[in-house]
Amino acid sequence: MSVPFDRKVRVGVTEKNQHAYWDMVNAGWHDAAGALGLDLRIEAPPSEDVAAQVELMRRQLDDGVDALAFVATRADAFDEIVAEADRRGVPVVAFDLDAPTSGRLTFVGMPAIRDVANRLGDVLAERLPAGSTVIAQTGSDHAPGAAAKLAGFLESMQRHGHRVVVGESDGEDVARSLQVARRLLEENPEAAGMYGVYGYHPIVQARAAELAGRPDLTIVGYDLLPETVDLVESGAVACSVWIQEYYFGYHTAVLVNALARTGSREALRAFRMDPDDLAGNAVYPPVAFHTKDTIAGFRSFAAAKSLQARTATTVL
């Protein structure tokens, strides 16, 4: 049943974990909610926990939300809860990480993650001497986004003839990540570059390079947390990919509002999506590769949205 316009749409949002990255996503959620009049309930387990995510979504359904939005930490884990929401007439949208065959109505997030990682690998490769050693870090052995970012990067490094040393997963624990980075640098003093799959990795790796007295290291990574912006501007991080996570929240809010207000089939058609082929429905904000030469443009955007004040500090 469509939500009448005389009350707010109640949206249950379930994210992957609690980290500064989500502050930037949630800035988009809150800005759109203010414009559209949404009642948001944003929740996440402290760390990666698919079962906890599903339980949060079930509680949101039981509490009477009008729409659900979730991050598919594992693509095959949400089919049952999405089906339950459908039986209750509650539209469901995935964002940041997709579960295309779950029955979700559409997705907002990063396009072709593996291809983006491959391109970032090429950016690093062109800055390294031939046959260099590169250190790579990950924060999850399970999340599809992390796996795709690592796989695409490794493909690029192999193509360019660079050797990659991959550290064990740090479990998205920043302190542990710094320990891993420092150990890998000690064990591989010949390393010329560093790469990480998550937003805290450029910050961690720049600190590890500083502690090791290695200002020559070339570091590339993802996201533009406030500390990363400073590091890119200083040249300590050579390049970081802005995946426009602010718009993951903003665009998903716009979509769930339309789905709840006008009905799923009508809303999908209005956005030129297919109500009979849900797996192919998606919105992909374009990614941008920021370096010292281009970071001023992002600073202007972040200032206009007050992102720095709305994003938690990454504590090392």
Side-chain angles (χ1 to χ4, degrees):
M1 183 178 295
S2 299
V3 177
F5 283 87
D6 61 356
R7 74 165 175 85
K8 293 183 176 182
V9 174
R10 298 167 301 210
V11 184
V13 181
T14 301
E15 295 174 339
K16 177 184 171 185
N17 57 17
Q18 297 171 22
H19 186 271
Y21 167 83
W22 300 106
D23 292 341
M24 302 189 80
V25 178
N26 293 341
W29 270 109
H30 287 297
D31 287 352
L36 297 168
L38 305 180
D39 181 4
L40 296 180
R41 176 174 165 180
I42 301 177
E43 299 177 298
S47 58
E48 183 180 308
D49 186 336
V50 172
Q53 283 186 280
V54 172
E55 181 58 28
L56 287 171
M57 293 171 71
R58 184 165 284 111
R59 290 178 188 173
Q60 291 167 355
L61 279 176
D62 290 343
D63 289 343
V65 297
D66 302 304
L68 288 177
F70 74 103
V71 176
T73 302
R74 208 177 70 223
D76 62 352
F78 295 88
D79 296 16
E80 183 178 331
I81 190 65
V82 172
E84 182 177 339
D86 183 59
R87 288 192 294 271
R88 299 193 195 191
V90 175
V92 183
V93 174
F95 68 102
D96 190 81
L97 293 171
D98 198 9
T101 61
S102 65
R104 59 78 177 137
L105 298 175
T106 187
F107 168 69
V108 180
M110 187 174 169
I113 297 174
R114 191 167 180 148
D115 292 344
V116 173
N118 206 296
R119 289 169 56 196
L120 184 56
D122 292 346
V123 169
L124 176 60
E126 69 184 18
R127 289 165 165 78
L128 298 178
S132 291
T133 295
V134 176
I135 290 168
Q137 289 184 261
T138 185
S140 174
D141 292 325
H142 310 290
K149 286 178 181 177
L150 185 58
F153 178 76
L154 292 176
E155 287 174 359
S156 173
M157 292 296 98
Q158 183 178 30
R159 188 170 63 251
H160 289 282
H162 297 305
R163 170 178 172 263
V164 181
V165 178
V166 181
E168 70 273 19
S169 171
D170 53 49
E172 299 190 62
D173 182 315
V174 174
R176 183 180 174 194
S177 182
L178 180 58
Q179 292 173 353
V180 172
R182 296 188 70 183
R183 177 178 55 77
L184 290 171
L185 282 173
E186 290 174 2
E187 294 173 352
N188 301 275
E190 78 284 4
M194 299 187 80
Y195 168 86
V197 304
Y198 283 146
Y200 57 86
H201 281 130
I203 303 167
V204 163
Q205 292 173 350
R207 178 59 174 159
E210 179 185 14
L211 292 171
R214 293 291 312 277
D216 57 302
L217 280 167
T218 303
I219 299 169
V220 299
Y222 296 90
D223 304 335
L224 289 173
L225 298 174
E227 298 89 344
T228 306
V229 174
D230 292 340
L231 291 166
V232 171
E233 189 171 67
S234 73
V237 170
C239 180
S240 196
V241 179
W242 182 36
I243 61 175
Q244 299 219 48
E245 60 271 21
Y246 171 89
Y247 288 107
F248 293 0
Y250 198 100
H251 291 328
T252 307
V254 171
L255 284 165
V256 296
N257 179 66
L259 290 163
R261 292 284 191 202
T262 63
S264 297
R265 296 185 69 85
E266 293 81 0
L268 289 173
R269 290 194 186 100
F271 286 100
R272 297 186 177 181
M273 297 181 186
D274 190 342
D276 298 311
D277 183 18
L278 301 178
N281 293 338
V283 175
Y284 299 122
V287 300
F289 290 68
H290 278 292
T291 65
K292 186 175 183 177
D293 294 334
T294 63
I295 198 64
F298 176 80
R299 275 202 184 278
S300 296
F301 170 84
K305 304 295 184 185
S306 301
L307 291 184
Q308 183 163 352
R310 301 161 78 181
T311 304
T313 300
T314 300
V315 179
L316 298 178

